[in-house]
Amino acid sequence: MTESAVVPETEPVHRSKMLLPIDLLRGFLIGMAELVPGVSGGTVALVTGVYDELIDSASHAISSVKRLVLGPDRLAGFSQEIRRTDWWLIGPVLVGMAAAVLTVAGVMEAFVTGHPEQARGLFFGMVLVSLAVPLLMLPARVKGNRVLDVVTVAVAAVVAFVLTGLAGGGATSEPAAIVVFLAAAVAICALVVPGVSGSFFLLAVGLYTTTLDAVHERDLGYIAVFGAGAIVGLASFVQLLKYLLHNHRRITLLVMTGLMLGSLRALWPWQSAAESAAEDAHGPGALIAPYAPVAGPVLLMLVGAAIVAVLVWVEFRGKSAE
């Protein structure tokens, strides 16, 4: 299959209800990842083996609404897209994500703030091993050269490295509703792209701490505006991503690999605080040589790497058996 070969789309095989607890856990892990600056929920979806299925089902769900509102044969089009949506995957994942956001937002913020070196060490190890996932998903090469593949990964990595260094870490205490709406629309797009952290985008615009505080304190007005922006952003982006994965799969996965590689800049455990950052800032500083504590971050780095390695091994062993 070439980089631009079209992957034919067939009627989806819906998941068994027996996988409900596992998909709830997958959603919970994705939600937790999105609370951590530098870690992408898309990366967790890749590692747990549901990335393609989530993108396809989300695209069908969005198309069902569009066809109901705009389609020439509204009810028939709506019904067709609804049947093609794997609700036994999307439903549990969304519930798991919501549960993570509502229950551990404060805990994750405290962990990232109170133990930054250990937190970054854990997630550095996890993302580092996760680089293997999109590479294992690459379609077989038919033509082209490996140099182009390497350049694609390198360029994407440099872009991610530079962008993650721009996140400041300050907080905007009373943002305008339109700012929250637009920030949510962009951040949700980052959620579905492995290696791109929605939390880091919120950091860059000063809404990371503000958003977590709003969730923790159940600020329903803020949450409603943020949710509306997220829905609009997701509806605008998912179908583009689905097209890229089906029609330009190889280069899309290579770009994802580069983005994940560059995002490691945000997760290097030992960083100096940014000069303009507030005391409780979460943004990245300059990368420096290891300083105390060293043992804790390194140990957690190995633990994180081992956890993901086991997940990757189990997932791809299962797919090979199929």
Side-chain angles (χ1 to χ4, degrees), residues 1 16 24 87 93 106 118-119 128 139 144 169 176 186 189 215 232 241-242 284:
M1 183 184 297
S16 167
L24 282 169
W87 294 106
V93 168
Q118 289 86 346
L128 181 64
V186 176
C189 295
V215 173
V232 170
L241 187 55
K242 177 187 175 183

Side-chain angles (χ1 to χ4, degrees), residues 278-303:
E279 290 183 2
D280 63 345
H282 305 268
L287 306 183
I288 57 180
Y291 55 81
V294 174
V298 170
L299 178 60
L300 287 172
M301 192 182 299
L302 295 174
V303 169

Side-chain angles (χ1 to χ4, degrees), residues 36 39 108 110-126 267-271 291-304:
V36 180
V39 182
M108 292 302 295
F111 179 47
V112 172
T113 304
H115 307 279
E117 293 85 5
Q118 289 86 346
R120 288 194 292 258
L122 174 66
F123 300 121
F124 186 97
M126 296 178 74
L267 298 173
W268 176 248
W270 302 279
Q271 303 183 23
Y291 55 81
V294 174
V298 170
L299 178 60
L300 287 172
M301 192 182 299
L302 295 174
V303 169

Side-chain angles (χ1 to χ4, degrees), residues 65 151 171 182 200 208 232 259 296:
V65 177
V151 170
L182 294 175
F200 246 82
Y208 175 75
V232 170
L259 292 174

Side-chain angles (χ1 to χ4, degrees), residues 26-315:
R26 284 169 165 146
F28 193 86
L29 293 174
I30 293 170
M32 285 183 62
E34 279 304 309
L35 296 172
V36 180
V39 182
S40 167
T43 300
V44 177
L46 266 180
V47 172
T48 55
V50 292
Y51 187 77
D52 279 324
E53 293 89 340
L54 277 176
I55 295 298
D56 284 347
S57 286
S59 176
H60 289 311
I62 292 167
S63 292
S64 70
V65 177
K66 290 183 176 179
R67 295 189 70 168
L68 181 63
V69 175
L70 303 173
D73 192 354
R74 297 181 180 182
L75 290 179
F78 173 79
S79 177
Q80 181 185 35
E81 293 297 332
I82 285 294
R83 287 196 303 270
R84 298 175 73 183
T85 303
D86 192 346
W87 294 106
W88 283 106
L89 171 63
I90 286 186
V93 168
L94 288 177
V95 170
M97 290 176 64
V101 171
L102 293 174
T103 58
V104 301
V107 175
M108 292 302 295
E109 183 185 13
F111 179 47
V112 172
T113 304
H115 307 279
E117 293 85 5
Q118 289 86 346
R120 288 194 292 258
L122 174 66
F123 300 121
F124 186 97
M126 296 178 74
V127 175
L128 181 64
V129 177
S130 299
L131 292 173
V133 179
L135 295 177
L136 289 170
M137 293 171 61
L138 287 175
R141 174 189 295 281
V142 175
K143 62 180 180 179
N145 59 76
R146 296 188 181 278
V147 174
L148 179 60
D149 289 353
V150 173
V151 170
T152 300
V153 173
V155 170
V158 170
V159 170
F161 187 93
V162 172
L163 291 180
T164 54
L166 298 178
T172 302
S173 58
E174 296 182 0
I178 186 63
V179 173
V180 175
F181 181 91
L182 294 175
V186 176
I188 202 70
C189 295
L191 182 152
V192 298
V193 179
V196 181
S197 169
S199 293
F200 246 82
F201 174 76
L202 294 179
L203 269 174
V205 296
L207 292 180
Y208 175 75
T209 301
T210 306
T211 302
L212 284 189
D213 288 344
V215 173
H216 188 59
E217 297 168 5
R218 306 296 190 267
D219 184 342
L220 298 182
Y222 185 101
I223 293 172
V225 173
F226 193 93
I231 291 172
V232 170
L234 195 63
S236 305
F237 185 72
V238 163
Q239 289 181 313
L240 171 61
L241 187 55
K242 177 187 175 183
Y243 169 82
L244 292 174
L245 284 169
H246 279 271
N247 295 276
H248 304 281
R249 186 171 182 83
R250 186 176 187 85
I251 193 169
T252 300
L253 290 171
L254 289 171
V255 169
M256 288 180 179
T257 303
L259 292 174
M260 292 167 64
L261 179 61
S263 73
L264 289 173
R265 181 256 181 269
L267 298 173
W268 176 248
W270 302 279
Q271 303 183 23
S272 65
E275 293 181 1
S276 60
E279 290 183 2
D280 63 345
H282 305 268
L287 306 183
I288 57 180
Y291 55 81
V294 174
V298 170
L299 178 60
L300 287 172
M301 192 182 299
L302 295 174
V303 169
I307 291 172
V308 173
V310 170
L311 289 173
V312 172
W313 180 78
V314 170
E315 180 64 29

